[in-house]
Amino acid sequence: MQLDLHRVRTYQCPAHSDEQATMMTISDCLTRENNFNLLRMIAATGVLVSHAFPLSLGGNALEPFEVALKGENLGRACVFVFFAISGFFITSSYSNHPNALSFLTARALRILPGLFVMLLATVALAALVKVGVDSSTFWSAVPGYLLSQATMGMGALLGVAPSVGSLPGVFVQNPLENAINGSLWSLPLEVICYAGVLSCGLLGILRRSKLFGAIVIVCTAGYIVRLVALDQGLKLPFLPQILVYVGFPFVIGMAFFVWSDRVILSKWIALGLVAFAGLAWPTPAFLLAFVVALSYGAFLFGFANLPILARYNKLGDYSYGVYIYAFPIQQAVAMAGIEEPLINILVATPLVFACGIFSWHVVEKPFLKLKTARRGLSISSPPSAT
C-alpha cells in the first residue's frame, strides 16, 4: 500500500499563532515536509502485529482491538489508513499529471516490480519449507500460483478465474494452515480504486466540486447500506460490498484532496470525531464514524508540522515491502514452532524490516526512477505510489 508523496520543493510555512494553526487547511500544508512515509510504516507494522495472533494461534484467535472495534481489528484499521492516504495522493498524482498513460505507468512501476520479486522470493522460501510433497508436485503448482498472485487475483475477484493462494505442502501444519500471503487481498481492490480515480479524472469530475460531492454522497450511502444490511444479517454480493468496505476511506482521501482548501486540520475536530464514534458504538453507524475519525486523524498526523518526525523521510519508503513480505515470514516463524504472538512479532519484525529495506533500495526505488524520468521532474524526497 503505497502512495505518490512527491515534494517538488521544500517549503516552510510561515509562523502561525495557536489560533491560526488550528484553522489551517490541508492546502496550507501541501508544500511542506510531511509524515506520511512514517505513518504508512506504522500502519504496515500494525498489520504485522495484528496478523501475529491468527498466525500463531489459529484463525479463530482474537486480534488486537477486535472487541472494541466490533469485529474490526488493528490490521483492518491500518488498511483503512492506507486506503485513505492512497485516495488523497493518487488523486493528487493524477491531478498534477492528467495523462492516462503516465498515470497507469506510474501505478504499474510502483506496485508490480516489488510484488513480482516478493512472489519469487516466496516461492523460493516455500520450496525450502514444504513438507509431505514431492518436488514435481510442488513445482507443477508454482506457475498457477504465480499467475494468480502476480495478477493480484483479479480473475478470481471478477469471477472469471480461480484463485490460487496456496502451494502443495506449504504451511499445511501451521495454526493458520495453507495460507501463504493473506495480506495481498487488498492489492486488487486498491487497483480498482485507482481505476476509479482515473475515470473521475477523464470525465472531469475531479475538477467539478459539486459533481464530485455527488460521488461522495453515493459512496457514503452505499457504505451505510452495507452496514445496515450486515447488521440485519443479510448477505450481499462479494465484490460490491468489499469495494464499498475499502472504497469508503479511499473516497474520503480523494475528498480531502479535492476540497483541500476547505478541510481544516484541527485537533479539536479530531477529538469531536472520536467522541462521535464513541457515542455511535452501540449502533450500526459506529464503523462509518470510526473510519471518518481514523481517516481525519491520519491526515492530522500526516500534515503535522513536526520536524523530528519528518526526519524519517531521509531513510526511505519501506512500508510496501514490509506489508507484502510480513505474512509469509510470520508463517515461517509459526512453522518453526513459535506459538506466542509476541514472540512471533519479535522474531519476524527484524526479518520483515530487512526485506522492506531491501525491496525499497534494490527493487522499488530503481523502478520509480523510470517514472520520474518520464515526467522530467526533480524530486527532493523519496517518491512512492500505489
Side-chain angles (χ1 to χ4, degrees):
M1 301 277 172
Q2 321 294 324
L3 330 157
D4 249 356
L5 300 182
H6 298 163
R7 277 191 307 114
V8 176
R9 65 184 184 280
T10 301
Y11 172 81
Q12 293 298 325
C13 290
H16 295 272
S17 67
D18 290 342
E19 182 178 358
Q20 289 174 316
T22 60
M23 296 300 292
M24 290 183 66
T25 65
I26 287 178
S27 63
D28 294 326
C29 304
L30 286 178
T31 51
R32 76 182 183 195
E33 194 84 73
N34 61 60
N35 310 307
F36 285 104
N37 277 344
L38 175 60
L39 178 58
R40 289 184 297 109
M41 187 63 171
I42 293 171
T45 305
V47 173
L48 181 157
V49 170
S50 191
H51 283 168
F53 290 80
L55 293 179
S56 300
L57 304 174
N60 293 325
L62 285 176
E63 299 184 38
F65 306 122
E66 194 161 347
V67 174
L69 297 181
K70 300 182 69 173
E72 301 302 329
N73 53 52
L74 173 62
R76 288 195 283 274
C78 291
V79 170
F80 295 153
V81 170
F82 278 129
F83 272 82
I85 304 172
S86 184
F88 183 93
F89 285 103
I90 296 303
T91 305
S92 171
S93 177
Y94 180 85
S95 298
N96 291 331
H97 306 279
N99 178 280
L101 180 60
S102 294
F103 180 83
L104 294 172
T105 300
R107 305 287 75 76
L109 287 173
R110 186 58 187 96
I111 297 176
L112 297 180
L115 176 65
F116 292 167
V117 172
M118 180 278 298
L119 290 174
L120 293 176
T122 299
V123 169
L125 172 66
L128 293 175
V129 302
K130 63 181 173 59
V131 295
V133 63
D134 60 84
S135 294
S136 62
T137 300
F138 172 83
W139 288 108
S140 66
V142 166
Y145 172 79
L146 288 177
L147 179 62
S148 175
Q149 299 302 308
T151 57
M152 293 173 283
M154 278 293 187
L157 194 64
L158 298 175
V160 298
S163 174
V164 182
S166 61
L167 286 168
V170 179
F171 304 139
V172 292
Q173 298 174 348
N174 281 32
L176 191 66
E177 67 275 6
N178 296 319
I180 294 180
N181 199 334
S183 295
L184 301 184
W185 70 273
S186 67
L187 294 187
L189 300 171
E190 185 127 7
V191 170
I192 293 174
C193 288
Y194 299 164
V197 172
L198 179 59
S199 299
C200 287
L202 293 175
L203 294 172
I205 295 173
L206 299 178
R207 299 191 304 271
R208 301 175 184 177
S209 182
K210 292 183 179 179
L211 186 55
F212 179 76
I215 298 293
V216 173
I217 291 172
V218 169
C219 291
T220 304
Y223 198 73
I224 293 172
V225 168
R226 177 186 183 275
L227 293 177
V228 173
L230 292 180
D231 183 67
Q232 297 300 314
L234 302 177
K235 188 173 181 179
L236 299 173
F238 175 75
L239 183 56
Q241 69 90 14
I242 195 68
L243 270 177
V244 166
Y245 179 70
V246 296
F248 181 61
F250 191 92
V251 168
I252 291 174
M254 292 179 67
F256 281 5
F257 176 79
V258 173
W259 299 323
S260 60
D261 59 336
R262 307 175 197 178
V263 179
I264 297 171
L265 294 175
S266 167
K267 63 182 179 182
W268 301 113
I269 294 177
L271 290 173
L273 291 173
V274 170
F276 180 74
L279 292 173
W281 193 87
T283 74
F286 166 72
L287 186 57
L288 183 146
F290 170 73
V291 171
V292 172
L294 182 67
S295 300
Y296 184 89
F299 283 91
L300 183 65
F301 176 87
F303 284 117
N305 192 8
L306 300 170
I308 190 170
L309 296 183
R311 293 176 185 174
Y312 177 84
N313 291 329
K314 297 179 181 180
L315 297 179
D317 183 12
Y318 306 142
S319 59
Y320 183 51
V322 168
Y323 184 80
I324 62 177
Y325 278 94
F327 199 102
I329 290 176
Q330 289 182 274
Q331 276 285 55
V333 172
M335 184 179 177
I338 294 176
E339 298 179 352
E340 291 294 329
L342 179 59
I343 303 301
N344 184 289
I345 294 167
L346 292 175
V347 173
T349 297
L351 300 174
V352 173
F353 280 12
C355 288
I357 293 169
F358 167 85
S359 182
W360 169 252
H361 288 290
V362 178
V363 183
E364 300 166 47
K365 189 176 180 180
F367 275 94
L368 286 175
K369 290 180 179 178
L370 299 177
K371 177 183 71 173
T372 56
R374 282 177 57 88
R375 290 178 175 173
L377 294 178
S378 174
I379 303 301
S380 57
S381 66
S384 53
T386 302

